[in-house]
Amino acid sequence: MRTLIFLALLAVLVMAATCYESHESMESHEYFNPFLNRRRASDFIQADTRLRAISQERIRERSKSHQEHQREACENYYPCEMYAFRHGYPAAYKHYFGGRRRTK
């Protein structure tokens, strides 16, 4: 009987020690208002940097200069690229594409 009382007292002490609500936990604003504002709901989540890099690349593709588009067209066509090594990309593009894009 004495052991049972001792174990019950020990269990009450362990429960009081582990379930004690400290002053620091009461200071948190989430304790009083657990719901977040819609604007602040995703502030703690960082966007995936790969997706951001892909979207930035898409934006840069749309804003390329005319010469960059010509150079890419010339790089995709092997004879034009070989001609560009000797004479430059503007001359190669003009030679193979006549200053305008081909349509196939």
Side-chain angles (χ1 to χ4, degrees), residues 3-104:
T3 308
L4 185 61
I5 293 173
F6 179 72
L7 287 176
L9 184 62
L10 185 63
V12 168
L13 287 174
V14 168
M15 185 181 69
T18 57
C19 296
Y20 172 70
E21 201 58 46
S22 68
H23 177 66
E24 287 84 15
S25 65
M26 297 280 194
E27 290 176 350
S28 175
H29 71 282
E30 287 102 10
Y31 183 77
F32 298 111
N33 187 8
F35 301 106
L36 295 173
N37 185 351
R38 286 183 185 174
R39 293 180 186 166
R40 294 190 52 215
S42 62
D43 285 348
F44 61 93
I45 297 175
Q46 296 294 323
D48 192 7
T49 55
R50 289 176 294 154
L51 293 177
R52 190 177 322 152
I54 290 170
S55 66
Q56 288 296 326
E57 179 64 27
R58 295 297 173 244
I59 290 169
R60 274 186 246 121
E61 279 181 7
R62 284 188 225 129
S63 62
K64 287 182 182 174
S65 67
H66 183 67
Q67 290 82 10
E68 183 67 25
H69 285 289
Q70 287 181 350
R71 183 180 178 127
E72 286 181 357
C74 194
E75 285 176 347
N76 291 334
Y77 186 54
Y78 185 74
C80 182
E81 187 177 17
M82 290 295 109
Y83 192 88
F85 285 142
R86 279 193 159 206
H87 305 285
Y89 281 101
Y93 185 83
K94 188 174 184 181
H95 181 269
Y96 283 97
F97 297 105
R100 60 185 171 4
R101 282 199 167 277
R102 275 192 196 173
T103 55
K104 287 187 178 184

